[in-house]
Amino acid sequence: MTADAYGSRRPGEQVQAHLFLLAGHRAGGTHAQALADAHRYGLAAGYAGVWVAEHHFISYGVCPSAITFAAHLLGATRRITVGTAACVLSVRNPVSLVEEAVLLNELSGGRFRLGVARGGPWVDLEVFGSDLDRYTHGFADALEIVLRWLSGAAQVAGNGRFPFRSVQVVPRPRRPVPTWVAATSPATVDLAARHGLPLLLLGLHADRLEKRSLLDRYAQVAAAHDHDSTQVPHASAHLAHVEDTDADAARTVRERLPELLAGTREYVRLDGAAAGAPDIDEYVRRLIAAHPGLRSDAGRSWTRPPHFPACGICCSWSR
């Protein structure tokens, strides 16, 4: 993902690699160990930036607050950018979240990046007092408040879904807080494009053709709202693992990744339907085929990470 300010790079100038921290729990370990390992990877990665995932109630990712984790990493570093990938707006008050975002960006000297997401139709909605209507229709309203709060306005009032009287923006942002929208559906892509916000394409299952389709749709909608999509620093998540050879890397991933992905079956949907990939081994084979960091041509097409076990990498570009 990019650490550059919007519009500071020429289209296609450079792809940047950042580390994506999932904090997944593995059998035989503890949740505390998973969090400590993720933090250690963030400190040792050597990239320009780190992004932190957020999940609730599942071992696939044991960090329930990406912004809290980001704060800890920002306090322990001096140069890297740290972002959330992503804070789930369907279960958070948008004003509370954006206040924290501005606070972190100010304290870190502008090194914080805010990524937001709609989330999923999980039990999270029930636990946090939200509902399916908020999940389905409320994301746009929450994002609208976030963006007005970050606009530099001295005061902000609520909207129809989040009604509140006009209040002072404190602390008032003195610099932009770069904001991304995690998107896997056309509706969310359209929302981001209308605001000219870059996409976080975090779905590892999506191949290049699927991502290209979403980006083409983004470009069309952005143009209709007078946004130049060639200057938007989109980001895409990829799977990478380092071994002596590509074949060894693919073999290790085939053996080790199913254990982590089994945690996706712990999602609890509000409608009671099953969650997670029905055939995890087949899903892993699809990932190996889709991601260049695990293919025989990886050395020609991918900048590899340090030696981390099946780690996620986010790369960004301007089209």
Side-chain angles (χ1 to χ4, degrees):
M1 297 189 183
T2 186
D4 298 341
Y6 294 166
S8 65
R9 292 184 293 139
R10 294 186 298 275
E13 180 179 344
Q14 184 179 2
V15 173
Q16 293 190 350
H18 290 211
L19 187 65
F20 181 33
L21 297 177
L22 182 62
H25 173 249
R26 296 184 179 276
T30 65
H31 295 167
Q33 182 180 352
L35 291 168
D37 286 346
H39 185 257
R40 187 170 66 253
Y41 293 164
L43 294 178
Y47 293 121
V50 172
W51 291 73
V52 184
E54 176 174 301
H55 297 89
H56 296 282
F57 318 127
I58 61 173
S59 62
Y60 175 65
V62 301
C63 173
S65 174
I67 199 166
T68 301
F69 198 119
H72 193 57
L73 265 181
L74 286 167
T77 57
R78 293 293 177 267
R79 293 184 299 276
I80 64 170
T81 64
V82 182
T84 59
C87 294
V88 181
L89 274 179
S90 297
V91 296
R92 294 247 1 212
N93 181 287
V95 174
S96 175
L97 175 64
V98 75
E99 281 185 327
E100 294 171 15
V102 174
L103 178 64
L104 283 185
N105 205 45
E106 289 300 320
L107 292 176
S108 66
R111 292 188 293 124
F112 178 69
R113 305 291 182 258
L114 176 63
V116 296
R118 184 189 304 271
W122 316 127
V123 71
D124 311 14
L125 300 170
E126 178 182 305
V127 173
F128 293 111
S130 186
D131 54 34
L132 278 174
D133 181 68
R134 167 85 181 271
Y135 160 74
T136 305
H137 304 293
F139 185 50
D141 296 323
L143 183 61
E144 188 266 339
I145 285 181
V146 167
L147 296 179
R148 280 197 288 121
W149 198 273
L150 296 177
S151 69
Q155 292 192 315
V156 170
N159 55 30
R161 185 173 293 272
F162 302 98
F164 56 87
R165 70 190 69 183
S166 182
V167 294
Q168 290 191 70
V169 176
V170 178
R172 189 173 175 183
R174 59 175 174 160
R175 56 168 66 90
V177 179
T179 303
W180 277 259
V181 176
T184 57
S185 68
T188 306
V189 169
D190 290 353
L191 176 63
R194 289 198 299 270
H195 290 290
L197 296 174
L199 300 176
L200 284 173
L201 300 175
L202 299 178
L204 291 176
H205 61 278
D207 60 20
R208 287 178 294 178
L209 290 178
E210 184 175 344
K211 290 182 178 181
R212 168 64 66 179
S213 176
L214 293 176
L215 291 170
D216 288 344
R217 183 185 184 100
Y218 180 99
Q220 293 174 3
V221 177
H225 289 80
D226 298 322
H227 299 299
D228 181 3
S229 63
T230 66
Q231 296 300 310
V232 178
H234 299 302
S236 177
H238 298 265
L239 183 67
H241 179 73
V242 172
E243 295 278 1
D244 291 335
T245 68
D246 294 317
D248 289 340
R251 184 181 309 110
T252 299
V253 170
R254 280 195 301 269
E255 294 172 354
R256 300 286 300 278
L257 191 57
E259 176 189 329
L260 177 63
L261 292 178
T264 61
R265 291 176 171 167
E266 298 169 13
Y267 278 116
V268 177
R269 292 179 59 100
L270 288 181
D271 60 9
D279 186 337
I280 290 179
D281 290 334
E282 174 59 26
Y283 182 61
V284 170
R285 286 192 288 270
R286 284 177 53 198
L287 293 181
I288 292 173
H291 292 273
L294 300 172
R295 295 198 328 225
S296 60
D297 61 349
R300 295 191 298 274
S301 61
W302 189 251
T303 300
R304 296 181 176 225
H307 195 288
F308 294 130
C311 64
I313 299 296
C314 285
C315 65
S316 70
W317 70 98
S318 291
R319 297 190 73 193

